Amino acid sequence: MSRILVVEDESAIAELISINLRHAGFEVTLAASANAAQYEVDRVLPDLVVLDWMLPGQSGVALARQWRGAARTKELPIIMLTARAEEGDKIAGLDAGADDYITKPFSTNELLARIRAVLRRKAPEALDSAVEVGPLLLDPGTRRVSRDGMEVKLGPTEFRLLHFLMTHPERVHSRSQLLDRVWGDHVFIEERTIDVHVKRLREALERVQCARMIETVRGAGYRLTQQSSALSA
């Protein structure tokens, strides 16, 4: 379930957004000020932030710029939702780091569609759509992985790890990146724990001749590939 942080100081609007997001299957956290928003981001990194411009303490634009300048939050998906509708405001919001900009009054259906669109671009693992890479098919809705109809039995951690790798194929991910994106940066475990779960995942995929899809890149991390050479085992 995707975690959405809604930063909005008008309680009626915040509640409207929250109800619609929860109905659509998202986990929602509310923050009514910049300080509260920063606290929530420090506590658990959300999958996406819906951010108002005018907030108590600090503007949403300043907050977005602050997040873009920090290593931990520089890739955090941000949608600005504000009454400031002038072209210059939109440019300022997008230049500050927002991935999308919506003006009030707004359609909740459009907001949901834009949230899904941003997540598809920046955090596809946060969505529940089925993913197919090479011969492997992963369905988050049913929590099943299969190859040509043959099901692969995975534990919950290995499932999340494979889901992330399949939604970011052909890219090298360091152990620290995998810890942040799969386990969450609020969980403190040794980086070498990754190796144990990758080994378990490979053992499970070996039953359908897909273990070699997960490559170790020496000194860098792990990568999931769909190249035919990786499937010849």
Side-chain angles (χ1 to χ4, degrees), residues 53-71:
W53 182 312
M54 293 170 282
L55 295 168
Q58 187 180 19
S59 74
V61 166
L63 200 54
R65 191 176 293 113
Q66 176 180 307
W67 287 337
R68 284 291 175 258

Side-chain angles (χ1 to χ4, degrees), residues 94-108:
L94 293 169
D95 283 348
D99 297 288
D100 203 349
Y101 193 103
I102 305 174
T103 58
K104 302 173 183 175
F106 62 97
S107 157
T108 53

